[in-house]
Amino acid sequence: MNILSKQSTPALITGGVVSTIVLYHLIDYYGSKYHLKQRFFNNLWGYLGPLVDMKLSKFKKELFSEAYGRVLDVGSGVGPTFKYLNNDNIHDSSIEDKKRPPITQVVSIEPNPFMQQELIESANKASSKFDIKILPKTIEQAYKDGDLENGTFDTVICNLVLCSIPDQDKVLIDIQNLLKPGGKFLFIEHVCSDKVLNRWFEHLINPLWSLIGDGCELDRITDEKIKHMTGWEKVSISQIKIKQPFKHIYGIAIKEQ
């Protein structure tokens, strides 16, 4: 019995690994095909989103006060960014701010169909401050459909969204192209940890996390990618040093004139 047991152990382990991989891909495929992942994430984020937003509110308020002119909000979710956007950052006493127009329009991009109703409600609440246009699609699709034109935005915002965009490199280039010369890219994201053990843990759980988080990945180096892109006149990135499970950063990248 012991001999048979020892001989069958590798086969059982192999079978378990193969079954897990097959099950993962089946869940991933059908979850995407029938929007199951989007539905689940909408419910999950309904609980987690307000908590995360509250914890990062101080940094979001500071960062998004830099928004001006025509604004593109990538991956708006249910619209938590809208409440941070206002025209109070335009001060008459500042010569620099006099050259900067107030927020005139916000183009909101959100592909998750289960977030649309709450997004529309958030947009209606903010509509007295500026015009809001909602595009229920991905930024890639909006680009293909001609909804977005290069060089037409003063500000582009990414609020905890670059972690889940499939082709991040391409979208970062698109964002830069969409900005006018001198335009601002404002971003707040979670990124891969600097600590070896934390980074190892993030790599380990990333497949499962991505499955339940609608494509969210824990081990992206978004900050490094933005920092080393050509075409920026200036990039400023800071780490958010508060108690939280994952490393968060926020920053501003200004497009070359």
Side-chain angles (χ1 to χ4, degrees):
M1 287 291 292
N2 290 338
I3 294 174
L4 289 174
S5 178
K6 288 179 181 178
Q7 288 177 338
S8 63
T9 298
L12 288 172
I13 293 174
T14 302
V17 171
V18 171
S19 298
T20 301
I21 293 172
V22 170
L23 181 61
Y24 172 85
H25 285 289
L26 284 173
I27 294 173
D28 186 42
Y29 174 77
Y30 286 105
S32 298
K33 184 176 181 179
Y34 296 107
H35 302 292
L36 300 178
K37 292 199 295 183
Q38 289 179 314
R39 184 188 292 275
F40 179 82
F41 182 69
N42 179 51
N43 292 331
L44 176 66
W45 200 243
Y47 292 102
L48 294 181
L51 297 175
V52 174
D53 187 61
M54 181 175 64
K55 205 160 191 179
L56 300 176
S57 61
K58 172 187 172 183
F59 306 95
K60 289 185 179 184
K61 186 176 181 180
E62 174 192 341
L63 178 66
F64 299 145
S65 69
E66 294 286 336
Y68 71 100
R70 190 164 184 249
V71 178
L72 176 65
D73 184 25
V74 181
S76 298
V78 297
T81 305
F82 298 158
K83 64 178 175 288
Y84 297 106
L85 300 177
N86 57 68
N87 291 318
D88 296 340
N89 59 322
I90 309 299
H91 304 295
D92 291 337
S93 58
S94 170
I95 296 175
E96 182 181 349
D97 282 343
K98 280 183 179 179
K99 299 176 183 177
R100 190 156 35 122
I103 295 171
T104 55
Q105 183 190 45
V106 176
V107 177
S108 166
I109 292 180
E110 177 50 56
N112 192 321
F114 305 104
M115 292 183 169
Q116 292 300 315
Q117 185 55 46
E118 197 169 344
L119 175 59
I120 291 170
E121 292 171 5
S122 298
N124 288 337
K125 290 178 183 176
S127 61
S128 61
K129 297 190 291 183
F130 34 72
D131 174 57
I132 299 178
K133 177 182 179 182
I134 297 175
L135 299 176
K137 57 185 74 176
T138 64
I139 184 172
E140 298 97 326
Q141 192 60 50
Y143 227 118
K144 289 179 183 176
D145 294 346
D147 297 311
L148 305 174
E149 294 181 12
N150 288 341
T152 59
F153 289 93
D154 300 285
T155 309
V156 175
I157 291 175
C158 282
N159 181 1
L160 301 176
V161 66
L162 289 170
C163 57
S164 59
I165 290 178
D167 193 347
Q168 189 191 75
D169 292 343
K170 181 181 182 303
V171 168
L172 285 172
I173 293 171
D174 289 343
I175 285 171
Q176 192 179 81
N177 289 336
L178 287 166
L179 284 167
K180 298 176 183 178
K184 293 183 178 180
F185 175 33
L186 312 177
F187 52 92
I188 183 166
E189 300 287 338
H190 66 79
V191 295
C192 191
S193 176
D194 299 323
K195 299 177 181 177
V196 175
L197 286 179
N198 289 10
R199 188 164 60 246
W200 177 83
F201 179 70
E202 288 167 356
H203 288 316
L204 181 67
I205 68 169
N206 194 61
L208 177 61
W209 184 273
S210 179
L211 197 64
I212 65 175
D214 195 20
C216 172
E217 296 188 359
L218 296 172
D219 53 2
R220 291 191 173 183
I221 51 171
T222 309
D223 49 344
E224 293 298 318
K225 287 186 177 181
I226 295 172
K227 189 186 300 181
H228 293 106
M229 282 178 67
T230 58
W232 300 124
E233 181 180 302
K234 180 182 178 183
V235 178
S236 175
I237 301 177
S238 301
Q239 183 175 344
I240 297 175
K241 295 183 178 180
I242 57 175
K243 192 174 181 180
Q244 54 189 339
F246 306 116
K247 177 184 175 182
H248 282 72
I249 54 94
Y250 70 125
I252 303 175
I254 300 176
K255 186 175 178 177
E256 290 179 345
Q257 295 282 355

